Structure formats: C-alpha cells, structure tokens
Amino acid sequence: MGIAAAIMLGRRAIAQSREQRALRRAVAQSEAALRELRQSEARFRDVAEVAAELIWETDEHHRFVAVTGHRESLIDRDGTQLDVPLGKTRWELAGADPVTDPLWREYKAMLDAHRPFRQFRYSCLKPSGQRFHFAVSGKPVFDETGRFTGYRGTATLENEIVAAQARARRAETLLRDAVGSISEGFVIYDEDDRLFLCNDAYLRLYPGSAAAMVPGTRFEAILRAGLNTGQYPEAKGREEEWLAERIERHREPGAPRERLLPDGRWVLITQRRMPNGGTAGLRIDITALKKIQVSLRESQAQLNEAQRVSNTGSVVRDFRSGEIVWSDQLFRIFGLSPENGAPDLKTVVSRVHPEDRKRVTSAITAALAGDDSPSLQYRIVRPDGAVRWVRREAKISFADDGSPLLLTSTYQDVTEQRLAEQREAELENQLRHSQRLEALGTLAGGIAHDLNNTLVPILALSKLALRLLPPDTPVRKDMSTIVAASERARGLVRQILAFSRKQELDKREIDLRAVLGEALAMLRASLPATLRLVERLDAVPPIFGDAGQLQQVLVNLVTNAGHAIGERPGTVTVALGSAAATTDAARPMLRLCVADTGCGIDPAHLDRIFEPFFTTKPVNEGTGLGLAVVHGIVAAHDGTIEVHSQPGKGSEFVILLPAVERLETAAARDRDVA
C-alpha cells in the first residue's frame, strides 16, 4: 500500500469517527428531547387530572377522541361516573338536533367554519335524572399542511354555578313578589344610586316620574324626570338647588319625614342605608292618618274652646303607665305654664289653700287607690297669689279584670259663682234686715204717732197749768217736771218718726260739702281734746235733700264714734267725695264716709245696729235710736248705708247718696243709650 493510499485510508477513518460521534450526539439529544417530552406530557396529564376543568379533543367530524381532567366532577347522584363520550358529538351527548335546534345549528355552523369559541354553554341529562351543565371553550387544530384535524379545548362543569344562579333567581323572584305584595311604596337603589327595584305602590305615588323608574336608572335622572313633569312644585324657580338638596338627603338619610304630594296625598318617607352601600326606602300613605289628625286637632280645639267658655279644665291619669295629661284650660285655671308639662302630685297639692289641703289630700289619696271620690269645692292659690275656688269631679275607668285604668278629673273655676252666691246671700241678709227694719219702722211709726197724739194735750195743758199757777206754789215744781218730761217724750217721738220715715222732710237742692262743714264746725267745740277730727271734704255735685236731717246724720255718727273711742286718744275721719261709677248706678252718687279708731263692733251685733232701741251702752247712757235715725234719714234720701268693723280696729260707716241729675247730663246719657 502506498503512502497515498494510507493517507486516504486514515482520512476515511477520521471522517467515520466524526460521523459516529455526531450520530451519538444526535441520538443523545433525541433521547433527551423524548424524555423531556414524556416528562412534559406526564406533567400535563397530572395537571389535567387534578384540575377543575376537563380537557377534550375532537376529530375533523367533531367527535370526541379524548377527554381528560377532573373526572371526579362527573360523578352522578347514584354514585356512577359519567361515561367518557368518545366517538360522539357534543350535540349527541346533549340529545339535541342541529337541524331543528337553532342554538345547536348555530354552534355546528361555527365548528364547520373552523372558528374558535369561548364559553358555549349546554347541558346533558342522565337517565337518573341528574343534569350536567357545561361551559366549553375550543380552538381549531390544523396539521403541518394546514388541513383541519379537529378541536382541542376545555370544559367546566357549572352544576354549582347553575344551582346558585337558580337559587338567586328564585330569591330574586321571591323578593320581587314580596315587595310587590307590600301595600306601601318600596324602593331599592344600589351603591351607585341606580334603581334596583320598586313596587307598583311606589310607582302610583309618583306618576309623573313613573316612566323614568326603570331598573338601572340613576336617582338623579328620576328626579329630573319628575321636575320636568311638575312632580315637585316646591322646586319651581330653584330646581338645581332643590335637586342638590334632595340628592344629599338621599345619600345621607335622616329621620322619617312627612311630605305632601301634589295630588293632596300625604306620605311618610323612611329611608335607610344598607350594608352594601345601597339605599332602601319605604313610602307609607298617611293621608287617612293626617285627616284623622286634623279631625283630632279640630276636636281638641273645640274641646279647648268649650273648656275655656265653661272655665273647666281636665286631667287624665293612666294608672298603668303613670302618664298625666292636663288640658290647656286646666293650666290656665292653676296659673301654670304648659311649657313645663303636667305638674306632679306634690306640686298640685302645694297649690291647694292650706285650710283645704287636708280634705283634698284625703280625696286624692282615695282616688289614686282606685276609689271614687265625691265632688269637692276648695280653694287654690295661684303662683301670683290669687285665690280661686274650684269644683273637682273625678271618675275612674276600670279594665276588664277590674283593675283601675284611668282617672279622669274635671276642675271648674267657680270663683265667680261663689262670689255671686256670697253677694246673693249678703243681699238676702240685707233684704231681710231691711224688711225687719221696715216692719220695726212701721210699728214704731204707728206707736210714735199715737203717742204724739197723746202727748199733745198733756204738754199743752201742762204748759197752761204752769202759767196759771202762782210762782210760790209747791205744785209748780211738779208741773215743771211734767212739762220737761213731755218735751223729752216729744223729742223721742220725733226721732222715732225720723227712723220710720214718716216725718215730713224739707228737701231742696243743697251743697252737701257746706252742710257737713257747718255741722263739723259745731261738733269741734263739743268733742273732747283727746279726740282728733280729720276733715276731707271734696267739692261734689249738689244733692236734693233736707240739710238739717243730713246734719243730724253726721252728728249722730261722729257722736257714736266719740263714744266708741272713749277717753283714750283717737281719730274720727270724715270724708266726702264722688263715688266710683258702677254699671248698677242710674245716676252719679256721692260717698260720705265716717271712720273711727274706736273699739269696733262685735260681728254678732252688726246685723242689729240699725234697729231702734238696740244699744250696747249701759243703762241710762243711750236710747238705741241714734243709728236707727241715721238709717231712716239715709233711706228717706234714696241712699244706702254700710258698716265695716272689726273689734279693736275701729269702724267705718259708708253712705251713698244720689247727686242731682242735670238735664244736660240726662240728655247726654240718653244719647249714649240710643
């Protein structure tokens, strides 16, 4: 072998060695890639086995050729596993026909067009009755030549989702049915202020906005629709400002509020925020309630007016709750303010006059114990010190079990009635007293008239005999005694006739101030130094009377006042003025008052002081005719006389005499009356 051949042979050997090494490397790389492919395939199968989805493959005829993945999800309710649908199409598995079923016809057309798809949902029914719901997604597969070989994709079992959706639909249906059955308006807005639902009652309340109340519509849009249809007349002229206020109130709902709708209905609006941020609202038609409230207020106003007119208040106490309700008039009767509410029992008792408190407390205690209390009249003292008379009537209402339920009491202010009764009693006493004096006057007048007739011849013959008797005869002294006694008897008869008003009066128009001034001037000289005479004589209109008789009235009253004061220092005040005008007075009156600081008159004697021959003076110190004569003279002048006296505090005699009524005065009064 030559060198060239050897070199050639060496080169071939080297090339073969290189090819062998390259082949070995390629085989090693192929084996490594195969191992990696197997590992990847194993990992894929492991993931597919544990995944929540199924992985499937179909051929060019849309028949299943492979299904892997979470097979445990295909367990039937009877415990058997759903068979792998190899060799079947998806519509065969679902029991559908693409020729007649639009859904499946559209789906098959999409597959035949080799288009990818996502979340196609269908269901299949097992003989056991269980239905399996799937959501599938797929992608067409082509070989290296571009030929369509089938689909590969995933399937998700949605039994739980479908069941949850069914439950949600049932719950929503139940909610809508429940909301629809509510007679009040009900509405729900979500967290974005979009209408979620409302019932027909709500729509009927807002007919102007009903067209806009479609689920999903924002609250603001619904309000604007209502503004455009005049649903909210109170927003006219300030629409945007009103809209902002309503949206703010919608987002931050407060306490329930009442609202008057344009059609005259009233609704109570209640709105609350829900935990999810949405809003639930309730609209209650309270039109009937408002009418009842109006009627109740009118009835209450009528009751208050009736109580005001009758001056009667009421209080109701609930035995079970302890609640006490006073009427407005009762607050007025007690002089209390309603702003502080009904007073408690302690406050009420404190308003009772101390002299009446014991019997009132006993009656209230009995009433609170459930016993009926009799009618009571007692005095209360208002906060301003005014004393009022009230008449209380009480009635207890009992429950079915016999327990006391309500105590209803009425209080009538009978102060004026009590005063009228007192005035009536005083007038009756005055009438009886006047009648008694009238009777005594008639009797005394008759006796005095007869006695005067008897005294006339006695006095005349006695005086004649006295003139005829010699001065030194012993009988003359006795005859003088007879004449003096007859003169005193004639004076006594005159006083009796003055009391009985049977004496002739010399009446003429006189100035009473001047007449009384003359009498006081004479009296000052005869009064003791310890007695102070105060004169307060105002200028007054003239009166029609007998000046001498009226002077006699003043003399008798001042003389009696001096006797009442006695030897101790004292004061007699004589006052003359015009009397205050009264509705009872037919013409102007003058007021003559004689007051002293003497010993006063015992109340037991006040009714008898004007009776003739009644006196409290010792024997031989008074005839008991002074005040009787005063009464007779005043009565003869169409006047009245009253006396006010308390033992130890002096006495006051008040005489009212009618003034002369001028012609112009009478004419003016007649014009006023006309």
Side-chain angles (χ1 to χ4, degrees):
M1 176 180 301
I3 295 175
I7 292 174
M8 185 63 70
L9 183 61
R11 288 178 177 173
R12 289 177 180 170
I14 292 172
Q16 289 177 353
S17 176
R18 288 177 178 172
E19 290 176 357
Q20 289 177 354
R21 286 199 299 273
L23 180 60
R24 285 196 295 272
R25 283 197 300 273
V27 171
Q29 290 175 355
S30 177
E31 289 177 351
L34 182 61
R35 285 195 303 272
E36 186 176 351
L37 179 60
R38 288 174 179 172
Q39 290 175 356
S40 177
E41 190 176 300
R43 286 196 299 271
F44 174 76
R45 291 183 182 277
D46 290 342
V47 172
E49 289 294 331
V50 299
E53 293 184 334
L54 299 172
I55 301 174
W56 53 268
E57 292 184 31
T58 58
D59 59 15
E60 66 273 19
H61 301 295
H62 311 311
R63 296 186 181 93
F64 284 104
V65 296
V67 177
T68 60
H70 191 64
R71 303 289 295 277
E72 285 74 9
S73 62
L74 301 178
I75 301 297
D76 200 353
R77 66 179 63 178
D78 58 4
T80 62
Q81 193 174 47
L82 184 65
D83 294 335
V84 178
L86 300 180
K88 292 184 178 181
T89 61
R90 186 166 279 114
W91 50 86
E92 289 174 344
L93 182 63
D97 185 358
V99 177
T100 59
D101 192 322
L103 175 66
W104 286 100
R105 182 167 59 249
E106 182 180 353
Y107 175 69
K108 185 177 182 300
M110 181 180 58
L111 295 181
D112 292 341
H114 307 156
R115 294 197 303 268
F117 62 90
R118 290 185 60 80
Q119 298 297 311
F120 175 74
R121 288 180 169 82
Y122 72 99
S123 64
C124 59
L125 185 65
K126 285 291 299 291
S128 64
Q130 184 176 3
R131 184 172 292 276
F132 288 86
H133 300 272
F134 296 96
V136 296
S137 301
K139 179 180 180 182
V141 179
F142 302 91
D143 62 11
E144 62 275 8
T145 64
R147 184 179 65 88
F148 173 72
T149 61
Y151 272 87
R152 184 182 297 125
T154 61
T156 302
L157 185 65
E158 293 187 327
N159 280 16
E160 292 299 327
I161 296 176
V162 172
Q165 290 175 342
R167 289 194 297 271
R169 284 193 298 271
R170 288 195 298 271
E172 184 175 344
T173 301
L174 180 63
L175 174 61
R176 291 185 181 277
D177 290 344
V179 171
S181 65
I182 298 176
S183 59
E184 290 79 17
F186 186 80
V187 64
I188 294 178
Y189 287 90
D190 63 16
E191 63 275 13
D192 297 322
D193 281 345
R194 295 183 182 275
L195 178 65
F196 176 71
L197 66 85
C198 65
N199 61 2
D200 291 340
Y202 187 86
L203 295 175
R204 288 193 296 270
L205 288 174
Y206 304 100
S209 307
M213 291 182 185
V214 178
T217 307
R218 286 188 175 276
F219 178 70
E220 181 178 349
I222 295 175
L223 285 182
R224 289 190 180 277
L227 286 173
N228 294 334
T229 57
Q231 182 75 29
Y232 308 105
E234 70 274 15
K236 188 174 182 180
R238 55 184 296 270
E239 286 79 2
E240 292 302 322
E241 182 182 356
W242 177 89
L243 188 65
E245 293 173 356
R246 285 296 304 270
I247 293 175
E248 178 66 22
R249 192 163 57 196
H250 171 76
R251 292 173 179 171
E252 298 295 335
R257 62 187 184 278
E258 297 178 354
R259 183 171 182 272
L260 177 63
L261 299 180
D263 60 2
R265 288 179 296 172
W266 280 90
V267 292
L268 177 65
I269 301 176
T270 303
Q271 199 160 294
R272 292 290 183 271
R273 276 288 186 186
M274 297 185 295
N276 66 352
T279 305
L282 189 65
R283 306 292 189 270
I284 303 175
D285 190 332
I286 58 172
T287 306
L289 177 61
K290 295 295 287 186
K291 290 181 180 179
I292 293 174
Q293 289 177 344
V294 171
S295 177
L296 182 61
R297 284 195 296 269
E298 291 175 351
S299 298
Q300 186 64 44
Q302 292 173 359
L303 175 61
N304 290 339
E305 182 64 15
Q307 289 193 351
R308 188 190 65 80
V309 171
S310 64
N311 209 2
T312 302
S314 62
V315 56
V316 178
R317 174 187 290 271
D318 191 321
F319 283 101
R320 296 183 177 179
S321 65
E323 183 182 8
I324 302 174
V325 179
W326 277 40
S327 70
D328 293 343
Q329 184 60 23
L330 188 58
F331 281 104
R332 287 191 285 268
I333 290 175
F334 275 79
L336 302 176
S337 172
E339 296 178 357
N340 300 324
D344 55 20
L345 183 60
K346 182 179 179 181
T347 303
V348 174
V349 173
S350 69
R351 295 288 102 204
V352 179
H353 195 281
E355 295 179 4
D356 303 333
R357 193 169 295 163
K358 182 176 180 180
R359 61 189 180 91
V360 172
T361 302
S362 299
I364 293 177
T365 302
L368 294 178
D371 299 329
D372 282 327
S373 58
S375 175
L376 287 178
Q377 286 196 28
Y378 58 90
R379 290 162 291 178
I380 60 172
V381 183
R382 290 178 173 176
D384 60 0
V387 178
R388 308 294 294 180
W389 278 90
V390 295
R391 178 169 59 236
R392 172 184 174 272
E393 304 283 350
K395 182 66 178 179
I396 299 177
S397 302
F398 295 90
D400 294 338
D401 58 1
S403 61
L405 187 61
L406 296 175
L407 172 61
T408 304
S409 304
T410 60
Y411 291 81
Q412 184 179 16
D413 189 332
V414 294
T415 306
E416 300 303 326
Q417 180 180 341
R418 294 279 301 198
L419 293 176
E421 291 174 353
Q422 291 177 0
R423 287 194 296 269
E424 184 178 355
E426 292 173 358
L427 290 175
E428 289 179 355
N429 289 335
Q430 292 177 6
L431 178 61
R432 286 194 295 270
H433 184 62
S434 298
Q435 290 174 341
R436 184 168 61 250
L437 292 179
E438 186 77 21
L440 287 173
T442 301
L443 176 62
I447 295 174
H449 182 73
D450 292 342
L451 183 59
N452 187 59
N453 292 336
T454 303
L455 285 174
V456 168
I458 294 175
L459 182 59
L461 294 176
S462 298
K463 287 183 177 181
L464 178 62
L466 184 62
R467 287 196 301 269
L468 296 176
L469 288 174
D472 55 351
T473 180
V475 180
R476 187 177 179 85
K477 182 177 181 181
D478 295 333
M479 189 59 65
S480 297
T481 302
I482 293 173
V483 171
S486 298
E487 292 283 357
R488 287 196 300 274
R490 187 174 63 176
L492 183 60
V493 167
R494 288 175 180 173
Q495 291 186 14
I496 294 175
L497 290 175
F499 165 72
S500 64
R501 289 172 258 168
K502 292 186 177 182
Q503 186 176 2
E504 291 295 330
L505 298 179
D506 183 14
K507 286 186 177 183
R508 63 188 64 186
E509 187 174 305
I510 60 173
D511 181 357
L512 185 59
R513 180 186 185 188
V515 170
L516 297 180
E518 293 176 1
L520 289 174
M522 294 184 295
L523 284 170
R524 289 183 186 278
S526 61
L527 293 176
T530 56
L531 193 148
R532 175 168 168 261
L533 184 61
V534 178
E535 178 181 334
R536 296 174 181 171
L537 304 180
D538 297 337
V540 294
I543 69 170
F544 194 71
D546 187 320
Q549 294 291 322
L550 292 175
Q551 286 182 341
Q552 182 66 39
V553 167
L554 182 61
V555 169
N556 286 3
L557 291 178
V558 172
T559 301
N560 278 359
H563 291 161
I565 294 173
E567 296 180 358
R568 59 187 178 85
T571 302
V572 177
T573 302
V574 179
L576 175 66
S578 297
T582 63
T583 56
D584 296 335
R587 52 182 172 170
M589 302 292 287
L590 306 185
R591 183 177 186 271
L592 171 62
C593 176
V594 179
D596 64 68
T597 59
C599 61
I601 303 173
D602 192 315
H605 298 154
L606 281 176
D607 289 343
R608 301 190 61 191
I609 59 174
F610 294 115
E611 292 180 5
F613 309 114
F614 175 80
T615 181
T616 58
K617 297 177 182 178
V619 178
N620 296 326
E621 291 190 14
T623 62
L625 286 174
L627 290 179
V629 170
V630 168
H631 184 277
I633 295 173
V634 170
H637 285 78
D638 298 327
T640 61
I641 183 170
E642 293 182 356
V643 60
H644 308 285
S645 180
Q646 291 184 11
K649 295 185 178 181
S651 303
E652 180 186 52
F653 288 83
V654 178
I655 298 173
L656 296 179
L657 297 171
V660 172
E661 188 176 24
R662 301 295 183 182
L663 293 178
E664 58 272 17
T665 304
R669 189 182 72 243
D670 292 340
R671 286 195 302 270
D672 293 339
V673 172

